[in-house]
Coordinates of all heavy atoms in Angstrom, one line a residue:
M1 N 89.7 116.1 78.3 CA 90.6 114.9 78.5 C 91.1 115.0 80.0 O 91.6 116.1 80.4 CB 91.8 114.9 77.5 CG 92.7 113.8 77.7 SD 91.9 112.2 77.3 CE 93.1 111.5 76.3
I2 N 91.1 113.9 80.7 CA 91.6 113.8 82.0 C 93.0 113.1 81.9 O 93.0 111.9 81.5 CB 90.7 113.1 83.0 CG1 89.3 113.8 83.1 CG2 91.3 112.9 84.4 CD1 88.3 113.1 83.8
K3 N 94.0 113.7 82.3 CA 95.4 113.1 82.2 C 95.5 112.0 83.3 O 96.0 110.9 82.9 CB 96.4 114.2 82.3 CG 97.8 113.6 82.0 CD 98.8 114.7 81.7 CE 100.1 114.0 81.3 NZ 101.0 114.9 80.7
H4 N 95.2 112.3 84.5 CA 95.4 111.3 85.6 C 94.2 111.3 86.5 O 93.8 112.2 87.1 CB 96.6 111.7 86.5 CG 97.9 111.5 85.8 ND1 98.6 110.3 85.7 CD2 98.7 112.5 85.2 CE1 99.7 110.5 85.0 NE2 99.8 111.8 84.7
L5 N 93.5 110.1 86.5 CA 92.3 109.9 87.3 C 92.6 108.8 88.3 O 93.3 107.8 88.0 CB 91.1 109.4 86.4 CG 89.9 109.0 87.2 CD1 89.2 110.1 87.8 CD2 88.9 108.3 86.2
M6 N 92.2 109.0 89.6 CA 92.4 108.0 90.6 C 91.0 107.5 91.1 O 90.1 108.3 91.4 CB 93.2 108.7 91.8 CG 93.4 107.7 92.9 SD 94.3 108.4 94.3 CE 96.0 108.3 93.7
T7 N 90.9 106.2 91.2 CA 89.7 105.6 91.8 C 90.2 104.9 93.0 O 91.0 104.0 92.9 CB 89.0 104.7 90.8 OG1 89.8 103.6 90.4 CG2 88.5 105.4 89.6
I8 N 89.6 105.2 94.2 CA 90.0 104.6 95.5 C 88.8 103.8 95.9 O 87.8 104.3 96.3 CB 90.4 105.7 96.5 CG1 91.4 106.6 96.0 CG2 90.8 105.0 97.8 CD1 91.7 107.8 96.9
D9 N 89.0 102.5 95.9 CA 87.9 101.5 96.3 C 88.5 100.2 96.7 O 89.5 99.7 96.0 CB 87.0 101.3 95.0 CG 85.7 100.8 95.4 OD1 85.6 99.8 96.2 OD2 84.6 101.3 95.0
D10 N 88.0 99.6 97.8 CA 88.6 98.4 98.3 C 88.0 97.1 97.6 O 88.4 96.0 97.9 CB 88.3 98.3 99.8 CG 86.9 98.3 100.1 OD1 86.1 99.1 99.7 OD2 86.5 97.4 100.9
E11 N 87.0 97.3 96.7 CA 86.4 96.2 96.1 C 87.0 95.9 94.7 O 86.8 96.8 93.8 CB 84.9 96.4 95.9 CG 84.1 96.4 97.2 CD 84.1 95.0 97.9 OE1 84.1 94.0 97.1 OE2 84.0 95.0 99.1
P12 N 87.6 94.8 94.5 CA 88.2 94.5 93.2 C 87.3 94.5 92.0 O 87.6 95.0 90.9 CB 88.8 93.1 93.4 CG 89.0 92.9 94.8 CD 87.9 93.8 95.5
I13 N 86.0 94.1 92.3 CA 85.0 94.0 91.2 C 84.6 95.4 90.8 O 84.4 95.7 89.6 CB 83.8 93.1 91.6 CG1 83.2 92.5 90.3 CG2 82.7 93.9 92.2 CD1 83.8 91.2 90.0
D14 N 84.5 96.3 91.7 CA 84.2 97.7 91.4 C 85.4 98.4 90.7 O 85.2 99.1 89.7 CB 83.9 98.5 92.7 CG 82.6 98.1 93.4 OD1 81.8 97.5 92.7 OD2 82.4 98.4 94.6
Q15 N 86.6 98.1 91.1 CA 87.8 98.7 90.4 C 87.8 98.2 88.9 O 88.1 98.9 88.0 CB 89.1 98.3 91.1 CG 89.3 99.1 92.4 CD 89.7 100.5 92.2 OE1 89.4 101.2 91.3 NE2 90.5 101.0 93.2
K16 N 87.5 96.9 88.7 CA 87.4 96.4 87.4 C 86.4 97.1 86.5 O 86.6 97.4 85.4 CB 87.2 94.9 87.4 CG 87.2 94.2 86.1 CD 87.0 92.7 86.2 CE 87.1 92.1 84.8 NZ 86.9 90.6 84.8
M17 N 85.2 97.3 87.1 CA 84.1 98.0 86.4 C 84.6 99.4 86.1 O 84.4 99.9 84.9 CB 82.9 98.1 87.3 CG 81.7 98.8 86.7 SD 80.3 99.0 87.7 CE 81.0 100.0 89.0
Y18 N 85.2 100.1 87.0 CA 85.7 101.5 86.7 C 86.7 101.5 85.6 O 86.6 102.3 84.7 CB 86.4 102.1 87.9 CG 85.5 102.2 89.2 CD1 86.1 102.0 90.4 CD2 84.2 102.5 89.1 CE1 85.4 102.1 91.6 CE2 83.4 102.6 90.3 CZ 84.0 102.4 91.5 OH 83.3 102.5 92.7
R19 N 87.6 100.5 85.6 CA 88.6 100.4 84.6 C 88.0 100.2 83.2 O 88.4 100.8 82.3 CB 89.6 99.2 85.0 CG 90.8 99.2 84.2 CD 91.9 98.2 84.7 NE 91.4 96.9 85.3 CZ 91.3 96.6 86.6 NH1 91.6 97.5 87.5 NH2 90.8 95.5 86.9
R20 N 87.0 99.3 83.1 CA 86.4 99.0 81.8 C 85.6 100.3 81.3 O 85.7 100.6 80.2 CB 85.4 97.9 82.0 CG 86.2 96.5 82.2 CD 85.3 95.4 82.2 NE 84.8 95.1 80.8 CZ 83.9 94.3 80.5 NH1 83.2 93.7 81.4 NH2 83.5 94.1 79.2
L21 N 84.8 100.9 82.2 CA 84.0 102.1 81.8 C 84.9 103.2 81.4 O 84.7 103.9 80.4 CB 83.1 102.5 82.9 CG 81.9 101.6 83.2 CD1 81.2 102.0 84.5 CD2 81.0 101.7 82.0
I22 N 86.0 103.5 82.2 CA 86.9 104.6 81.9 C 87.7 104.3 80.6 O 87.8 105.2 79.8 CB 87.8 104.8 83.1 CG1 87.0 105.4 84.3 CG2 89.0 105.7 82.7 CD1 87.6 105.3 85.6
S23 N 88.1 103.1 80.4 CA 88.8 102.7 79.2 C 87.9 103.0 78.0 O 88.3 103.5 76.9 CB 89.2 101.3 79.2 OG 89.8 100.9 78.0
K24 N 86.6 102.5 78.0 CA 85.7 102.7 76.9 C 85.4 104.2 76.7 O 85.1 104.6 75.6 CB 84.4 102.0 77.2 CG 84.5 100.5 77.0 CD 83.2 99.7 77.2 CE 83.4 98.3 77.1 NZ 82.2 97.5 77.0
S25 N 85.4 105.0 77.7 CA 85.1 106.4 77.5 C 86.1 107.1 76.7 O 85.8 108.1 76.0 CB 85.0 107.1 78.9 OG 86.3 107.4 79.4
G26 N 87.4 106.7 76.8 CA 88.4 107.3 76.0 C 88.9 108.7 76.4 O 89.6 109.4 75.7
I27 N 88.4 109.2 77.6 CA 88.7 110.5 78.0 C 89.8 110.6 79.2 O 90.1 111.6 79.6 CB 87.4 111.3 78.5 CG1 86.8 110.6 79.7 CG2 86.4 111.4 77.4 CD1 85.7 111.4 80.4
V28 N 90.3 109.4 79.6 CA 91.3 109.3 80.6 C 92.6 108.8 80.1 O 92.6 107.7 79.5 CB 90.8 108.5 81.8 CG1 91.9 108.3 82.9 CG2 89.5 109.1 82.4
E29 N 93.6 109.5 80.3 CA 94.9 109.0 79.8 C 95.5 108.0 80.7 O 96.0 106.9 80.2 CB 95.9 110.2 79.7 CG 97.2 109.9 79.0 CD 98.1 111.1 78.9 OE1 97.6 112.1 78.3 OE2 99.2 111.1 79.3
T30 N 95.6 108.2 82.0 CA 96.2 107.3 83.0 C 95.2 107.1 84.1 O 94.8 108.1 84.7 CB 97.5 107.8 83.4 OG1 98.4 108.0 82.3 CG2 98.2 106.7 84.3
L31 N 95.0 105.8 84.5 CA 94.1 105.5 85.6 C 95.0 104.9 86.8 O 95.7 104.0 86.5 CB 93.1 104.5 85.2 CG 92.1 104.0 86.3 CD1 91.3 105.2 86.9 CD2 91.2 102.9 85.7
H32 N 94.8 105.5 87.9 CA 95.5 105.0 89.1 C 94.5 104.4 90.0 O 93.5 105.1 90.3 CB 96.3 106.1 89.9 CG 97.2 106.9 88.9 ND1 98.5 106.5 88.7 CD2 97.0 108.0 88.2 CE1 99.1 107.3 87.9 NE2 98.2 108.2 87.5
Q33 N 94.7 103.2 90.6 CA 93.6 102.5 91.3 C 94.1 101.9 92.6 O 94.2 100.7 92.8 CB 93.0 101.3 90.5 CG 92.3 101.9 89.2 CD 91.5 100.8 88.6 OE1 92.1 99.9 87.9 NE2 90.2 100.8 88.7
P34 N 94.4 102.8 93.6 CA 94.7 102.2 94.9 C 93.5 101.5 95.6 O 92.4 101.9 95.3 CB 95.1 103.5 95.8 CG 94.6 104.6 95.0 CD 94.4 104.2 93.6
M35 N 93.8 100.5 96.3 CA 92.7 99.7 96.9 C 92.3 100.1 98.3 O 91.5 99.5 99.0 CB 93.1 98.2 96.9 CG 93.4 97.6 95.5 SD 91.9 97.5 94.5 CE 91.0 96.2 95.4
S36 N 93.0 101.1 98.9 CA 92.7 101.6 100.2 C 93.0 103.1 100.3 O 93.8 103.6 99.5 CB 93.4 100.8 101.3 OG 94.8 101.1 101.2
G37 N 92.5 103.7 101.4 CA 92.8 105.1 101.6 C 94.3 105.2 101.9 O 95.0 106.2 101.5
Q38 N 94.9 104.3 102.7 CA 96.3 104.4 103.0 C 97.2 104.2 101.8 O 98.2 104.9 101.6 CB 96.7 103.3 104.1 CG 98.1 103.5 104.6 CD 98.3 104.8 105.2 OE1 97.6 105.2 106.2 NE2 99.3 105.6 104.8
E39 N 96.8 103.3 100.9 CA 97.6 103.1 99.7 C 97.5 104.4 98.8 O 98.5 104.8 98.3 CB 97.0 102.0 98.9 CG 97.8 101.6 97.7 CD 97.2 100.4 96.9 OE1 96.5 99.6 97.5 OE2 97.5 100.3 95.7
A40 N 96.4 105.1 98.8 CA 96.2 106.4 98.1 C 97.1 107.4 98.7 O 97.7 108.2 98.0 CB 94.8 106.8 98.0
L41 N 97.1 107.5 100.1 CA 97.9 108.5 100.8 C 99.4 108.3 100.5 O 100.1 109.3 100.2 CB 97.7 108.5 102.3 CG 96.3 109.0 102.8 CD1 96.2 108.8 104.3 CD2 96.2 110.5 102.5
N42 N 99.8 107.0 100.5 CA 101.2 106.7 100.1 C 101.5 107.2 98.7 O 102.6 107.8 98.5 CB 101.5 105.2 100.3 CG 101.4 104.8 101.7 OD1 101.4 105.6 102.7 ND2 101.2 103.5 101.9
F43 N 100.6 106.9 97.8 CA 100.9 107.4 96.4 C 101.0 108.9 96.3 O 101.9 109.4 95.7 CB 99.7 106.9 95.5 CG 99.8 107.3 94.1 CD1 100.5 106.6 93.2 CD2 99.2 108.5 93.7 CE1 100.6 107.0 91.9 CE2 99.3 108.9 92.4 CZ 100.0 108.2 91.5
L44 N 100.0 109.6 97.0 CA 100.0 111.0 97.0 C 101.2 111.7 97.7 O 101.6 112.8 97.4 CB 98.7 111.6 97.6 CG 97.5 111.2 96.8 CD1 96.2 111.6 97.6 CD2 97.5 111.9 95.4
A45 N 101.8 110.9 98.6 CA 103.0 111.4 99.3 C 104.3 111.3 98.5 O 105.3 111.9 98.9 CB 103.1 110.7 100.7
A46 N 104.3 110.5 97.5 CA 105.5 110.2 96.7 C 105.9 111.5 96.0 O 105.1 112.2 95.4 CB 105.3 109.1 95.7
P47 N 107.2 111.9 96.1 CA 107.7 113.1 95.5 C 107.6 113.2 94.0 O 107.5 114.2 93.4 CB 109.1 113.3 96.0 CG 109.5 111.9 96.4 CD 108.3 111.1 96.8
D48 N 107.7 112.0 93.4 CA 107.7 112.0 91.9 C 106.4 111.6 91.3 O 106.3 111.3 90.1 CB 108.8 111.0 91.4 CG 108.6 109.6 91.9 OD1 107.8 109.4 92.9 OD2 109.2 108.7 91.4
R49 N 105.3 111.7 92.1 CA 104.0 111.2 91.6 C 103.4 112.3 90.6 O 103.8 113.4 90.7 CB 103.0 111.0 92.7 CG 102.7 112.4 93.4 CD 101.3 112.3 94.0 NE 101.0 113.5 94.8 CZ 100.4 114.5 94.3 NH1 100.0 114.5 93.1 NH2 100.2 115.5 95.1
P50 N 102.6 111.8 89.7 CA 101.9 112.8 88.8 C 100.8 113.5 89.5 O 100.4 113.1 90.6 CB 101.3 111.9 87.7 CG 101.1 110.6 88.4 CD 102.2 110.4 89.4
T51 N 100.4 114.7 89.0 CA 99.3 115.4 89.6 C 98.0 114.7 89.2 O 97.8 114.4 88.0 CB 99.3 116.8 89.0 OG1 100.5 117.5 89.4 CG2 98.1 117.6 89.6
I52 N 97.2 114.5 90.2 CA 95.9 113.8 90.0 C 94.9 114.9 89.6 O 94.7 115.9 90.3 CB 95.4 113.0 91.2 CG1 96.4 111.9 91.6 CG2 94.0 112.4 91.0 CD1 96.7 110.9 90.6
D53 N 94.2 114.7 88.5 CA 93.3 115.7 88.0 C 91.9 115.5 88.5 O 91.1 116.5 88.7 CB 93.2 115.7 86.4 CG 94.6 116.0 85.8 OD1 95.2 117.0 86.2 OD2 95.1 115.1 85.1
A54 N 91.5 114.2 88.8 CA 90.2 113.9 89.3 C 90.3 112.6 90.1 O 91.2 111.8 89.9 CB 89.2 113.8 88.2
M55 N 89.4 112.5 91.1 CA 89.4 111.3 92.0 C 88.0 110.8 92.2 O 87.1 111.6 92.5 CB 90.0 111.8 93.3 CG 90.3 110.7 94.3 SD 91.1 111.3 95.8 CE 92.6 112.0 95.2
L56 N 87.8 109.5 92.2 CA 86.5 108.9 92.6 C 86.8 108.1 93.8 O 87.8 107.3 93.9 CB 86.0 107.9 91.5 CG 85.8 108.6 90.1 CD1 85.4 107.5 89.1 CD2 84.7 109.6 90.2
L57 N 86.1 108.4 94.9 CA 86.4 107.9 96.2 C 85.3 107.1 96.8 O 84.2 107.6 97.0 CB 86.8 109.0 97.1 CG 87.1 108.8 98.6 CD1 88.3 107.8 98.8 CD2 87.3 110.1 99.3
D58 N 85.5 105.8 97.2 CA 84.6 105.0 97.9 C 84.5 105.6 99.4 O 85.6 105.7 100.0 CB 85.0 103.6 97.9 CG 84.0 102.6 98.6 OD1 82.9 103.1 99.0 OD2 84.4 101.4 98.8
I59 N 83.4 105.8 99.9 CA 83.2 106.4 101.3 C 83.3 105.3 102.3 O 83.9 105.4 103.4 CB 81.9 107.2 101.4 CG1 82.0 108.4 100.5 CG2 81.7 107.6 102.8 CD1 83.1 109.4 100.7
N60 N 82.7 104.1 102.0 CA 82.6 103.0 103.0 C 83.7 102.0 102.7 O 83.5 101.1 101.9 CB 81.2 102.4 102.9 CG 81.0 101.4 104.0 OD1 81.7 101.3 105.0 ND2 80.0 100.5 103.8
M61 N 84.8 102.2 103.3 CA 85.9 101.2 103.2 C 86.4 100.8 104.6 O 86.4 101.6 105.5 CB 87.1 101.8 102.4 CG 86.8 102.2 101.0 SD 88.3 102.8 100.1 CE 88.6 104.4 100.9
P62 N 86.9 99.6 104.7 CA 87.5 99.2 106.0 C 88.8 99.8 106.3 O 89.5 100.2 105.4 CB 87.6 97.7 105.9 CG 87.8 97.4 104.4 CD 87.0 98.5 103.7
G63 N 89.1 100.0 107.6 CA 90.4 100.6 107.9 C 90.4 102.1 107.9 O 90.6 102.7 109.0
M64 N 90.1 102.7 106.8 CA 90.0 104.1 106.7 C 88.9 104.5 105.7 O 88.9 104.1 104.6 CB 91.4 104.7 106.1 CG 91.4 106.2 106.0 SD 92.9 106.8 105.1 CE 94.2 106.2 106.1
S65 N 87.9 105.1 106.3 CA 86.8 105.5 105.4 C 87.2 106.6 104.4 O 88.2 107.2 104.6 CB 85.6 106.0 106.3 OG 85.9 107.3 106.7
G66 N 86.3 106.8 103.4 CA 86.6 107.9 102.5 C 86.7 109.2 103.2 O 87.5 110.1 102.8
F67 N 85.9 109.5 104.2 CA 85.9 110.8 104.9 C 87.2 110.9 105.6 O 87.8 112.0 105.6 CB 84.7 110.9 105.9 CG 83.4 111.0 105.2 CD1 82.4 110.1 105.4 CD2 83.1 112.1 104.3 CE1 81.2 110.2 104.7 CE2 81.9 112.2 103.7 CZ 80.9 111.2 103.9
E68 N 87.7 109.8 106.3 CA 89.0 109.9 107.0 C 90.1 110.1 106.0 O 91.1 110.9 106.3 CB 89.2 108.6 107.7 CG 88.3 108.4 108.9 CD 88.4 107.0 109.5 OE1 88.5 106.0 108.7 OE2 88.3 106.9 110.7
F69 N 90.1 109.5 104.8 CA 91.1 109.7 103.8 C 91.1 111.2 103.4 O 92.2 111.8 103.3 CB 90.8 108.9 102.5 CG 91.6 109.4 101.3 CD1 92.9 109.0 101.2 CD2 90.9 110.2 100.4 CE1 93.6 109.5 100.1 CE2 91.6 110.6 99.3 CZ 93.0 110.3 99.1
L70 N 89.9 111.8 103.2 CA 89.9 113.2 102.8 C 90.5 114.1 103.9 O 91.3 115.0 103.5 CB 88.4 113.6 102.5 CG 87.8 113.1 101.2 CD1 86.3 113.5 101.2 CD2 88.6 113.6 100.0
E71 N 90.2 113.8 105.1 CA 90.8 114.6 106.2 C 92.3 114.5 106.2 O 93.0 115.5 106.3 CB 90.2 114.2 107.5 CG 88.8 114.6 107.8 CD 88.2 114.0 109.1 OE1 89.0 113.4 109.9 OE2 87.0 114.1 109.3
K72 N 92.8 113.3 106.1 CA 94.3 113.1 106.1 C 94.9 113.7 104.9 O 96.0 114.3 105.0 CB 94.6 111.6 106.2 CG 94.2 111.1 107.6 CD 94.6 109.6 107.8 CE 94.2 109.2 109.2 NZ 94.9 108.0 109.6
A73 N 94.3 113.5 103.7 CA 94.9 114.1 102.5 C 94.9 115.6 102.6 O 95.9 116.2 102.2 CB 94.1 113.6 101.3
Q74 N 93.9 116.2 103.1 CA 93.8 117.7 103.2 C 94.9 118.2 104.2 O 95.6 119.2 104.0 CB 92.5 118.2 103.6 CG 91.5 118.1 102.5 CD 90.1 118.5 102.9 OE1 89.7 118.4 104.0 NE2 89.3 118.9 101.9
A75 N 95.0 117.5 105.3 CA 96.0 117.8 106.3 C 97.4 117.7 105.8 O 98.3 118.6 106.0 CB 95.8 117.0 107.6
A76 N 97.7 116.7 105.0 CA 99.0 116.4 104.5 C 99.4 117.4 103.4 O 100.6 117.7 103.2 CB 99.1 115.0 103.9
H77 N 98.4 118.0 102.7 CA 98.7 118.9 101.6 C 98.3 120.3 101.9 O 98.3 121.2 101.0 CB 98.0 118.4 100.3 CG 98.5 117.1 99.9 ND1 99.8 117.0 99.2 CD2 98.1 115.8 100.0 CE1 100.0 115.7 99.0 NE2 99.0 115.0 99.4
G78 N 98.0 120.6 103.2 CA 97.8 122.0 103.6 C 96.5 122.6 103.1 O 96.4 123.8 103.1
N79 N 95.6 121.8 102.7 CA 94.3 122.4 102.3 C 93.2 122.2 103.4 O 93.2 121.3 104.2 CB 93.7 121.6 101.1 CG 94.7 121.7 99.9 OD1 95.3 122.7 99.7 ND2 94.8 120.6 99.2
S80 N 92.4 123.2 103.5 CA 91.3 123.1 104.5 C 90.0 123.0 103.9 O 89.7 123.1 102.8 CB 91.3 124.4 105.4 OG 92.0 125.5 104.9

């Protein structure tokens, strides 16, 4: 069982597909769906946020690519 799963994708249709598949799987308790890397970083920076157990990340997004998100998230959380 995955308690908190995050899918980061700028395409609403893709997010809807993830939501339907994940709901049908029955293995995810809570799904978080930011629509951009920056929105995901803001979520992860919140002091009262839940711990994310797994993340699905779109690499090709406008504004901040998935790779840029990973670099910023690792820098913000002290991981290399």
Side-chain angles (χ1 to χ4, degrees):
M1 182 68 133
I2 298 171
K3 190 164 182 161
H4 292 277
L5 174 67
M6 180 180 279
T7 59
I8 306 168
D9 197 314
D10 63 310
E11 291 293 331
I13 211 87
D14 290 342
Q15 287 283 32
K16 183 177 181 178
M17 178 186 63
Y18 302 144
R19 193 168 39 255
R20 290 183 76 193
L21 289 170
I22 290 164
S23 175
K24 287 183 179 192
S25 78
I27 64 169
V28 175
E29 187 175 309
T30 306
L31 178 61
H32 306 275
Q33 293 190 286
M35 298 293 290
S36 70
Q38 188 58 57
E39 187 179 335
L41 288 173
N42 293 345
F43 177 89
L44 294 172
D48 59 343
R49 69 154 172 93
T51 300
I52 300 300
D53 300 306
M55 188 179 297
L56 301 175
L57 174 62
D58 182 8
I59 296 301
N60 187 18
M61 294 185 290
M64 180 187 304
S65 74
F67 293 120
E68 291 168 321
F69 164 80
L70 287 175
E71 288 175 9
K72 290 182 182 205
Q74 287 177 335
H77 296 282
N79 299 325
S80 13

